[in-house]
Amino acid sequence: MKHDDLEDRVHVQNYTMISFIREPSNRFYSSYDEAFFRMGPWMGDPEGQIVWDKPRIRKQYHDSKWRVEKYPYLYEGFETIHDFRRLYCPAEILESGKFLQCNGIPSIDDGRLASRFERFVSDYGDGLDPFDVHLNMQVGSLVFPTGEPFPVTRLYNATVAEAGWQSIASGVGVDIPDGEMTHGRKITRRINVGLVGEETRRKMCRILALDYCCLNIPLPEVCRGKGAGDEEEVFCSVEPRKGEEMQYALEDFIIHPWQDAQQR
């Protein structure tokens, strides 16, 4: 739908536009976890356990695997899904063959998966070149290509989505009976995030600064710095667009991570 049409629906025709968002760092852990699984070599194996009967997914993997080649350490030592599972799922479950149970218990990762994650975050730069759609920032899904924000009426926390849907329903006089709510997937993370160090967590905040700033979500304590020019603190910057950037722009300003705030 075009920008003007969407604005008309919300502001003139009284439509309500809602969206669900998550705390950016928590979402990043989950997004990486899902992206890591989807881009593993097991996704291209025609005789493997995961995609032997899914030729379209195998093709998609082979068409996209170049995106992770700049991070060769991510899948070092991995050839099959079992190589991956044994690092986060207890042996007794793997031996039983009930692999879905691995998704419902805490990871046994001893740091071998967490260390790959930390190295990835260190090498990920500004986070604007994700190797999988799950790593896209949330703000990018709430704006038009020109930078104009969607006319979102209400934002809800996806972590407590059921409460959000109940609030939406009650606002229009609808009662959702207990047990009738649609539940999303609930899968435990495969990496042990408790082993992720503060330096990595601060780098995550810098990568995710646009989500934190534009969605007005408080920074984690570790990213707030100590004030008075603390170089570890995360900032955002609002600056005028340059002339060559204005051809298709609807706004005169751009918002971006401000990593050298003390120098400007």
Side-chain angles (χ1 to χ4, degrees):
M1 185 177 291
K2 294 181 179 180
H3 165 263
D4 289 348
D5 293 336
L6 194 57
E7 290 278 348
D8 181 75
R9 293 284 182 91
V10 173
H11 297 302
V12 178
Q13 301 181 46
N14 203 31
Y15 276 62
T16 296
M17 185 176 186
I18 66 172
S19 183
F20 285 80
I21 58 175
R22 290 182 63 186
E23 198 285 327
S25 289
N26 286 336
R27 178 180 178 271
F28 189 78
Y29 286 129
S30 299
S31 297
Y32 168 87
D33 205 42
E34 183 66 16
F36 188 97
F37 170 73
R38 288 173 178 258
M39 292 302 295
W42 43 84
M43 287 299 188
D45 185 359
E47 299 180 358
Q49 188 179 80
I50 303 297
V51 295
W52 65 271
D53 61 343
K54 300 178 178 65
R56 292 176 62 181
I57 292 180
R58 294 200 305 268
K59 183 181 185 304
Q60 183 180 12
Y61 164 78
H62 287 293
D63 289 345
S64 305
K65 68 176 184 177
W66 61 270
R67 294 181 177 275
V68 296
E69 290 176 354
K70 65 176 70 176
Y71 313 109
Y73 47 83
L74 284 182
Y75 300 101
E76 186 175 359
F78 291 166
E79 294 184 6
T80 68
I81 188 64
H82 178 74
D83 295 330
F84 178 36
R85 283 174 174 159
R86 65 184 178 82
L87 294 187
Y88 70 87
C89 189
E92 57 269 22
I93 293 181
L94 296 179
E95 291 169 359
S96 74
K98 298 178 180 179
F99 304 121
L100 289 180
Q101 291 184 9
C102 297
N103 297 331
I105 61 173
S107 171
I108 63 167
D109 174 30
D110 60 3
R112 283 179 285 180
L113 293 179
S115 63
R116 295 174 197 236
F117 171 77
E118 290 200 297
R119 188 172 176 184
F120 165 74
V121 172
S122 177
D123 293 344
Y124 193 34
D126 56 13
L128 298 180
D129 185 27
F131 65 79
D132 182 87
V133 66
H134 287 83
L135 292 169
N136 289 343
M137 283 188 281
Q138 297 173 95
V139 165
S141 299
L142 297 174
V143 297
F144 289 92
T146 50
E148 185 78 354
F150 287 174
V152 177
T153 309
R154 298 177 184 175
L155 285 176
Y156 294 92
N157 185 350
T159 304
V160 287
E162 294 182 13
W165 283 116
Q166 288 286 5
S167 174
I168 294 167
S170 63
V172 294
V174 174
D175 179 49
I176 302 178
D178 292 340
E180 295 298 318
M181 190 73 65
T182 298
H183 294 269
R185 293 187 306 155
K186 295 182 179 179
I187 296 178
T188 55
R189 297 188 183 106
R190 301 172 181 94
I191 59 173
N192 184 349
V193 299
L195 299 177
V196 175
E198 290 190 356
E199 181 178 350
T200 298
R201 290 157 60 193
R202 283 193 286 266
K203 173 65 183 299
M204 287 167 56
C205 287
R206 291 195 290 274
I207 291 172
L208 302 169
L210 289 179
D211 273 359
Y212 276 113
C213 293
C214 296
L215 299 175
N216 198 30
I217 296 175
L219 287 166
E221 188 69 32
V222 70
C223 300
R224 297 179 189 177
K226 300 177 182 178
D230 188 342
E231 62 181 15
E232 297 294 344
E233 198 162 8
V234 177
F235 299 86
C236 288
S237 173
V238 179
E239 295 183 354
R241 290 182 183 270
K242 299 177 182 178
E244 63 270 20
E245 297 173 337
M246 289 298 296
Q247 184 178 1
Y248 300 106
L250 296 176
E251 294 292 326
D252 295 338
F253 297 93
I254 53 176
I255 303 175
H256 60 79
W258 191 7
Q259 298 185 23
D260 56 349
Q262 307 306 320
Q263 301 176 24
R264 296 192 180 186

